Amino acid sequence: MPSVALTEALNWEITKSSVFSIRETFKPTYFGKGKLDEVKEMIDQSGANTLILNTHLSSSQQRELQDRFDCKVMDRFNLILEIFNRRAQTREAKLQVELASLKHKKTTIVHLFDADYAQQRGSTGAVSGAGETALEAQRRLIAARQKKIEKELNDMTQHRELLRSGRSKVPIIALVGYTNSGKSALANQLTGSELLSENRVFTSLDSVMRGLDLPSGRRAVVLDTVGFISDLPQLLQTAFRSTLEEVELASVILHVRDIVHPESEYQKENVLDILKRLKIHPSVLKKTIEVWNKIDLMKPADLKASIKVVEEAPTRPFTIAPISATKGTGCDDLMDKIDRVLAEQESEPENYNFDY
């Protein structure tokens, strides 16, 4: 996902956007001299106070560019972290974002201290103790805060496990997908709830559960998870690993796709890749129904042709369910398919016992 779409998610005004062709990067400033002059001119002409680069910068590169351009500079990690900071609502989500930020800061903090500032401070009775450098003191504070956050998050995970044991017989229907694919809109349509659903990325960072009554009379739980994104920084993937652990225990996974998006196939592969990197068991992924959302924006002939391609493919790894989450089109058929998957599991329970 380009940084333009991410920036728009913050409701920031974009005064200028450009794509640069770079043959090589330079350690001190990322850009070479010619490109530095070009970017500086673009900033001055646009009147921008922030430069966002859809790449990853070292902390020293970020600081050097800020000094040269006299404006704030953000790379992709900083931009996504800013969105996560704004979207986090629950205590757990806020802690996960802070943990990712601390881990990132710990890996780059050495560049934030000038050599003279990091000299021995000596014994002055300060909290840092005799002979501790400013850099060492900062690292110690970060490590202490990180340990406290990890303990609190671990306590939350254990609490979820206790709650989970009380509903072990209730099937979980987990919604996964690329950000802005319509997961929350589908959860609202299926359960009659009113989760926040907006046409922007990362509307919610929290996993939310809602009850669902299926046509067969079965009672299930719908789990709406955080949306994925391409090139999601590893630190943020790791931080939100705990909120996706319920996916491993799902009876059915609904992979919600924005089927009209020009990069829908790429988004699909990105979601599957992140699930694998999060070590979601491959056997769990076999319980997936691929939900093609936003079919109301497709021409009927195009939809029919797309379905035919899947049906005539040599292998069909997933069941397909075309729907419109906002209009409700196809949702009854989706519920029937969920029911059938659950019925198959009940008749062959041995196929769904996994060791993790």
Side-chain angles (χ1 to χ4, degrees), residues 135-152:
L135 176 58
E136 290 167 345
Q138 189 69 7
R139 281 176 169 164
R140 176 174 52 79
L141 291 173
I142 290 174
R145 178 58 182 163
Q146 179 179 333
K147 184 177 181 181
K148 184 176 180 180
I149 291 175
E150 288 173 340
K151 181 182 183 305
E152 187 169 350

Side-chain angles (χ1 to χ4, degrees), residues 51-182:
L51 172 66
I52 299 173
L53 299 174
N54 193 34
T55 188
H56 298 288
L57 300 173
S58 69
S59 56
S60 57
Q61 288 174 331
Q62 185 177 358
R63 184 177 61 177
E64 180 66 26
L65 290 175
Q66 287 180 159
D67 289 343
R68 285 176 177 264
F69 297 149
D70 193 27
C71 71
K72 184 177 181 179
V73 175
M74 301 176 71
D75 66 0
R76 187 176 179 84
F77 179 86
N78 298 136
L79 181 59
I80 296 176
L81 190 65
E82 179 69 24
I83 296 173
F84 276 35
N85 267 318
R86 294 196 183 191
R87 298 286 192 270
Q89 298 296 319
T90 65
R91 171 69 176 170
E92 184 172 20
K94 292 177 180 178
L95 287 175
Q96 288 165 332
V97 173
E98 184 182 355
L99 180 61
S101 179
L102 286 173
K103 287 182 176 180
H104 180 257
K105 187 176 182 180
K106 187 168 65 174
T107 61
T108 61
I109 193 173
V110 66
H111 302 292
L112 302 178
F113 286 82
D114 294 324
D116 55 27
Y117 182 63
Q119 295 299 312
Q120 297 296 112
R121 293 179 352 186
S123 178
T124 60
V127 176
S128 59
E132 187 180 45
T133 67
L135 176 58
E136 290 167 345
Q138 189 69 7
R139 281 176 169 164
R140 176 174 52 79
L141 291 173
I142 290 174
R145 178 58 182 163
Q146 179 179 333
K147 184 177 181 181
K148 184 176 180 180
I149 291 175
E150 288 173 340
K151 181 182 183 305
E152 187 169 350
L153 288 173
N154 184 60
D155 290 343
M156 291 178 177
T157 298
Q158 292 180 0
H159 179 65
R160 268 201 306 274
E161 291 175 352
L162 288 175
L163 295 177
R164 187 186 302 144
S165 64
R167 52 174 170 81
S168 58
K169 295 182 180 180
V170 179
I172 297 174
I173 315 300
L175 275 61
V176 302
Y178 208 81
T179 184
N180 205 30
S181 62

